[in-house]
Amino acid sequence: DYSWLQTKESIVSLELRSIMCVPLKIVRFSTANVEETMFFSNTDSKGMSVSVGEIFGLVYVDNRVSNKTFTNIDLEILEALCSHASISIYNSRLIRDLDKSEKFSATLVDASKMLNSTLDLDELLKIIIELAVSTLDAEKSSLYLIDEENKVLRAQTTDEKLITEKHLPLDTGVAGRVVASGEIVNLKDPISVSEATRDNPKIYHKEIYSVLCVPLRDKENNIIGALETMNKEEGSFDVDDENMLEALSVHASLAIENAMLLKEVIEKRKLEQELSVAAEIQKNLLPGRAPSFQTFDVDALTIQCKHVGGDYYDFINLDENQLGVGKGIPAALMMANLQAILQSRALFETNPAQVVYAINHTIFRNSTANKYATLFYGCLDRKESSFFYTNAGHNPPLLRRNEGHWEELTTGGMVVGLFDKQEYEQARVELQAGDIIILFTDGVTEAMNALDEEYEVPRLKQAIENYKDKSAHDICALIHEEIKRFEAGTDRHDDLTLMVIKV
């Protein structure tokens, strides 16, 4: 079939009388000890094992002069010339590729230096975007980071040399496609760009005629975002651009991950410092030491399981014969409010039920919905040797009588802060020498051991029996040590507070 000659005649505008054609090709040859790949014709490989590889070009010679036909000698000469031409082309390509490789390496070295110049995340994102633009000769660039919490892409984009930020749905545009697939996307013309952004045509604020986007991956190869360049200055993005942007993305991803980790550490340390300050403030809200109150031996102990605890207790000197005793479990940030309200009301109200009623009213009016506290408030009267109390949803304190009988102090009502104008009851218990009152939180009775068993009230009663002859201070300390032994091998999950009153 010589129809192809007609096509060639139309191209060269000649009537073809004779033609020679020799391929430019890669020939792999080997001797006993050496194997190489070079550009040679088959005639140069005599005595060697030869395998023909890729043909990368052709040389045509048309119409031998004097209307003669080409001879075998002509063919051998052309093959020899093509062999030398192949070597020259090969060397030229090697030099070109070497220049590209050196430029590639130099660019990445410079980029790496710039990326390692800061650990500030915002500054780093700006550097990455500017690097992508300058390295790939692009008009603009965008960097997208996945926000797992809000399920969006946080996009930072160059816009007239300014960096702007916006939030986009995870499946938006080219970046959404790259984040979902993990594959490089290279759109070389406006039609491809338009089709790819059909779901959100306004994602780009100006005409975009080419887009190259690669995924960003962390050290575990998880996709954390995408890096995108737009509008190459000359033509469209090619394979070299893909390789360059992909290599840049590796360095960028590592730098982003390190910056995010540092930011997380700094925020964590800042939070720990703030919580330490809050814990110190809370600690100062609690009594520094138990008061000395004739007829009664009083002490308390609290252990927080976190920086900021939720257990609260207080002693309020009402007059020379009466001592107010408050014990509550508010939300941690309500502690200061509860203390202020309790101390102010206790000095003016004559009975516990009225104090708790006032506290409930104030917390309800001044707190957000669902904020409440359990509270126990009572008055020790050494002249009357009695305890007058109201229990608002708190763990019932235990009263151990001197003869060994146990009572629970339950009279009162519901927790404070949920409903306004809530009525509360109060009760009075007469006390005798040797009686012991124990106020405690569920951090005591719900302490858990390695077998998932709770400490519970029976163990607390037994501990009181064991230590009843000790001082209030020693009882608190000994019960705490017993609970620590009980919890051995586990993590404490709640604050622990004890108050002991011995008559």
Side-chain angles (χ1 to χ4, degrees):
D1 181 7
Y2 292 99
S3 59
W4 62 274
L5 286 174
Q6 297 175 356
T7 304
K8 189 171 189 303
E9 285 178 340
S10 66
I11 295 173
V12 299
S13 299
L14 286 174
E15 179 185 355
L16 295 176
R17 301 185 305 273
S18 59
I19 186 169
M20 280 195 306
C21 182
V22 175
L24 299 171
K25 56 189 174 182
I26 301 172
V27 176
R28 183 174 296 278
F29 65 91
S30 60
T31 60
N33 300 316
V34 180
E35 181 175 319
E36 284 195 33
T37 300
M38 292 293 289
F39 293 99
F40 283 105
S41 66
N42 290 344
T43 57
D44 288 321
S45 55
K46 293 177 181 178
M48 301 180 183
S49 173
V50 177
S51 61
V52 179
E54 175 188 359
I55 295 175
F56 70 94
L58 298 169
V59 175
Y60 278 96
V61 179
D62 301 327
N63 294 353
R64 198 170 193 274
V65 296
S66 303
N67 293 326
K68 294 181 179 180
T69 59
F70 292 108
T71 65
N72 288 335
I73 293 175
D74 294 331
L75 183 60
E76 288 181 3
I77 292 172
L78 183 58
E79 286 185 328
L81 289 172
C82 286
S83 297
H84 290 289
S86 298
I87 293 172
S88 297
I89 294 171
Y90 175 71
N91 289 336
S92 176
R93 287 182 172 180
L94 278 179
I95 292 171
R96 183 196 64 188
D97 292 344
L98 184 60
D99 288 342
K100 279 186 178 181
S101 178
E102 289 179 350
K103 182 181 178 182
F104 187 91
S105 299
T107 300
L108 286 183
V109 169
D110 292 341
S112 181
K113 289 178 180 178
M114 293 183 69
L115 292 173
N116 290 327
S117 66
T118 181
L119 282 172
D120 179 82
L121 183 58
D122 293 333
E123 181 65 23
L124 179 63
L125 297 180
K126 181 180 178 182
I127 289 174
I128 294 170
I129 290 171
E130 292 174 346
L131 273 173
V133 169
S134 61
T135 303
L136 274 74
D137 297 326
E139 182 180 336
K140 60 188 301 185
S141 178
S142 295
L143 190 149
Y144 302 83
L145 291 179
I146 298 174
D147 185 336
E148 294 286 0
E149 182 178 351
N150 298 306
K151 302 301 179 185
V152 296
L153 287 174
R154 289 200 303 113
Q156 297 212 2
T157 305
T158 50
D159 191 1
E160 297 181 355
K161 297 185 178 181
L162 296 175
I163 306 295
T164 60
E165 181 170 334
K166 56 187 175 183
H167 292 179
L168 302 171
L170 283 175
D171 58 353
T172 297
V174 178
R177 179 173 154 190
V178 169
V179 166
S181 67
E183 301 292 333
I184 296 174
V185 172
N186 188 353
L187 306 177
K188 298 177 180 290
D189 56 77
I191 295 176
S192 300
V193 175
S194 178
E195 290 177 353
T197 58
R198 190 181 307 158
D199 59 337
N200 192 349
K202 295 183 179 179
I203 186 172
Y204 302 124
H205 296 305
K206 60 189 299 183
E207 182 183 357
I208 301 296
Y209 50 82
S210 61
V211 175
L212 175 60
C213 189
V214 301
L216 296 171
R217 299 177 183 271
D218 63 15
K219 295 174 185 175
E220 282 71 42
N221 207 37
N222 299 312
I223 296 175
I224 61 172
L227 181 58
E228 181 181 69
T229 54
M230 291 150 280
N231 292 358
K232 190 171 178 65
E233 289 183 0
E234 295 182 3
S236 58
F237 298 104
D238 57 21
V239 174
D240 290 335
D241 294 322
E242 292 179 12
N243 294 334
M244 177 61 76
L245 192 60
E246 187 175 27
L248 180 61
S249 75
V250 173
H251 290 271
S253 297
L254 181 60
I256 289 171
E257 190 174 9
N258 290 338
M260 291 175 74
L261 287 173
L262 178 63
K263 184 177 181 180
E264 185 178 325
V265 169
I266 291 173
E267 289 177 349
K268 184 177 179 181
R269 287 180 178 174
K270 183 179 178 181
L271 177 61
E272 287 177 349
Q273 290 174 352
E274 291 174 349
L275 289 174
S276 295
V277 172
E280 186 65 25
I281 293 172
Q282 274 198 344
K283 182 179 178 182
N284 292 334
L285 292 177
L286 300 175
R289 60 181 180 178
S292 175
F293 194 63
Q294 189 177 359
T295 306
F296 299 101
D297 179 14
V298 182
D299 207 353
L301 171 149
T302 187
I303 305 295
Q304 297 175 351
C305 72
K306 300 177 182 177
H307 280 290
V308 181
D311 285 4
Y312 161 71
Y313 69 88
D314 207 351
F315 302 112
I316 305 168
N317 287 304
L318 303 177
D319 58 38
E320 61 180 10
N321 292 314
Q322 290 187 318
L323 176 70
V325 176
K327 174 71 191 72
I329 310 179
L333 297 179
M334 289 174 61
M335 183 184 288
N337 290 339
L338 182 60
Q339 181 195 50
I341 301 167
L342 177 59
Q343 290 188 353
S344 62
R345 291 292 181 176
L347 294 174
F348 296 101
E349 303 292 351
T350 58
N351 59 63
Q354 291 176 347
V355 172
V356 175
Y357 178 91
I359 291 173
N360 176 71
H361 175 74
T362 304
I363 291 179
F364 178 83
R365 289 295 182 90
N366 295 282
S367 298
T368 57
N370 299 322
K371 285 287 191 293
Y372 66 91
T374 68
L375 175 66
F376 182 94
Y377 175 68
C379 295
L380 284 170
D381 190 322
R382 65 182 179 184
K383 185 176 180 181
E384 301 290 336
S385 190
S386 65
F387 189 48
F388 201 19
Y389 75 88
T390 292
N391 187 342
H394 200 278
N395 301 73
L398 301 176
L399 169 58
R400 183 196 179 278
R401 294 295 189 178
N402 185 36
E403 67 275 12
H405 174 67
W406 290 91
E407 299 176 18
E408 291 187 352
L409 308 184
T410 59
T411 302
M414 67 183 308
V415 297
V416 296
L418 284 184
F419 300 100
D420 196 12
K421 299 180 180 180
Q422 180 68 36
E423 297 292 335
Y424 292 90
E425 298 179 350
Q426 57 192 15
R428 183 188 298 273
V429 291
E430 304 298 328
L431 299 176
Q432 299 176 356
D435 288 348
I436 302 175
I437 300 174
I438 306 97
L439 288 76
F440 59 93
T441 60
D442 49 15
V444 174
T445 52
E446 294 179 6
M448 195 85 69
N449 66 12
L451 299 177
D452 288 338
E453 298 172 335
E454 292 185 346
Y455 189 73
E456 296 183 335
V457 172
R459 285 190 176 89
L460 178 59
K461 288 182 176 180
Q462 185 57 53
I464 298 298
E465 291 290 346
N466 296 339
Y467 309 131
K468 64 181 184 295
D469 295 328
K470 304 289 185 180
S471 66
H473 174 81
D474 288 344
I475 291 174
C476 288
L478 289 167
I479 292 176
H480 177 224
E481 289 300 320
E482 184 173 306
I483 292 173
K484 284 202 299 184
R485 290 192 297 271
F486 179 80
E487 291 179 316
T490 66
D491 294 326
R492 165 158 288 280
H493 62 276
D494 201 357
D495 300 337
L496 180 154
T497 302
L498 277 170
M499 181 186 293
V500 174
I501 303 169
K502 286 193 69 177
V503 184

